[in-house]
Amino acid sequence: MFRIFLAALASVALVLGGTTAAQASYVDVGCENEAPYRVDDPYDGDDVVVCGVTPYGDWIIRNDSDTIWGLTTRQVRMFDLYVYTVRSDLFHKSAERFYPYVFLAPGDKVVIPADAGEVEYSIQPDLAMMWIFHEQLADKIEEKTFELIGDVVAGKSSRRAALWTCSLALWNAAREFDPTVTWTDDAEAIWDYAADRVEEGSACADAWAKARKTTAEVRFPTYKSVVLKVTQNGGSFADEAIVKLSATKSILTTLGDLVCSLPKIRGIGC
């Protein structure tokens, strides 16, 4: 959901609750020992958890959802991720050229210092869509190579570039099909349209061919066995992606126009 929290207000609420750092002998629901004080509503249903290191400042935001959340403040600030997955790291490194703001991929944690002021977080619809494509491609690469995606791509910029270029190509195709893509009632039609835009000769195909030429212990799988396979209508990967897209669409429908306040990739917004 679209959430805002203020450093000062959050601290006051916790202090009035009668808990201090020295007295803490338990961990609030959803929090961990490193940050035991729950700041957000644990029953809001958005799967983003905000916990305080102390009642007076420094918060950890953890993304337990399956989608991408963007973070914004009134003053431009870059908060450091301190926990992330291999897939998240790959996605962040590629996305930073297109989206130079802080976002949380599934499994990410970020520390928000006490002097951050007002912090807003909401689903970033563009990255949420790209994450779905990125995940499907990574899943298929692992299936074809019998190796984890981090091991297949490690140290090979051309391979990371291929994964990102094809995710971006699918996202661009989806946007071309429907500018409000994440609200569509026909996710399967978007998938079919996107598949038609990544045939041989596309930027995605060219990037994949370059990655295939990279010498490494693990052979990079063929374009046909990954990209074209993933985009086949009715395949298990496409079906899983459609389910995830539909779930994201449901959340975004609830949020309405509020998500449009976040920065968008290449200026494309709601």
Side-chain angles (χ1 to χ4, degrees):
M1 308 301 174
F2 184 82
R3 305 290 181 214
I4 302 174
F5 68 90
L6 287 167
L9 293 180
S11 297
V12 169
L14 288 166
V15 171
L16 290 177
T19 304
T20 67
Q23 296 173 336
S25 58
Y26 65 94
V27 176
D28 290 338
V29 60
C31 295
E32 299 169 344
N33 289 332
E34 60 187 355
Y37 304 97
R38 190 67 184 253
V39 174
D40 66 321
D41 180 359
Y43 305 106
D44 58 22
D46 62 14
D47 291 327
V48 174
V49 179
V50 184
C51 297
V53 176
T54 75
Y56 307 102
D58 291 344
W59 293 268
I60 292 176
I61 300 181
R62 186 179 76 243
N63 182 5
D64 287 346
S65 76
D66 291 325
T67 192
I68 303 285
W69 292 74
L71 288 138
T72 57
T73 60
R74 291 186 176 181
Q75 295 182 346
V76 177
R77 295 191 58 166
M78 296 303 291
F79 305 122
D80 293 328
L81 296 177
Y82 83 103
V83 171
Y84 46 85
T85 66
V86 171
R87 291 193 181 195
S88 167
D89 187 44
L90 286 173
F91 193 82
H92 276 283
K93 286 178 179 177
S94 297
E96 62 187 7
R97 290 179 50 212
F98 299 87
Y99 190 82
Y101 306 96
V102 180
F103 67 85
L104 297 177
D108 285 353
K109 289 184 183 181
V110 65
V111 175
I112 306 296
D115 62 352
E118 185 176 277
V119 177
E120 302 176 352
Y121 57 100
S122 181
I123 288 178
Q124 210 301 325
D126 297 321
L127 291 182
M129 184 68 178
M130 290 186 69
W131 176 259
I132 290 172
F133 290 128
H134 192 270
E135 282 286 88
Q136 300 307 303
L137 293 172
D139 284 347
K140 195 61 179 178
I141 289 173
E142 289 187 344
E143 181 190 278
K144 300 303 293 185
T145 62
F146 300 101
E147 300 284 349
L148 296 176
I149 187 65
D151 295 329
V152 178
V153 177
K156 307 298 179 184
S157 59
S158 62
R159 293 185 174 190
R160 186 173 69 246
L163 184 59
W164 177 258
T165 299
C166 290
S167 300
L168 183 61
L170 290 165
W171 174 81
N172 278 327
R175 276 293 188 187
E176 182 182 327
F177 177 76
D178 180 359
T180 62
V181 61
T182 26
W183 283 272
T184 183
D185 291 325
D186 194 357
E188 193 165 332
I190 285 180
W191 202 259
D192 289 343
Y193 186 86
D196 289 340
R197 295 300 182 271
V198 295
E199 292 291 345
E200 298 292 343
S202 65
C204 168
D206 291 343
W208 205 272
K210 183 177 180 180
R212 288 268 297 166
K213 295 176 182 178
T214 303
T215 302
E217 182 177 346
V218 180
R219 178 73 168 158
F220 205 58
T222 65
Y223 187 74
K224 182 177 181 179
S225 68
V226 175
V227 182
L228 298 187
K229 194 73 174 178
V230 162
T231 55
Q232 282 181 350
N233 178 35
S236 61
F237 287 90
D239 289 343
E240 291 170 12
I242 289 169
V243 169
K244 291 181 180 179
L245 175 58
S246 298
T248 300
K249 181 189 71 122
S250 176
I251 297 174
L252 289 171
T253 299
T254 302
L255 291 172
D257 292 336
L258 290 176
V259 295
C260 297
S261 66
L262 287 170
K264 305 295 186 293
I265 297 175
R266 297 179 179 176
I268 297 176
C270 309

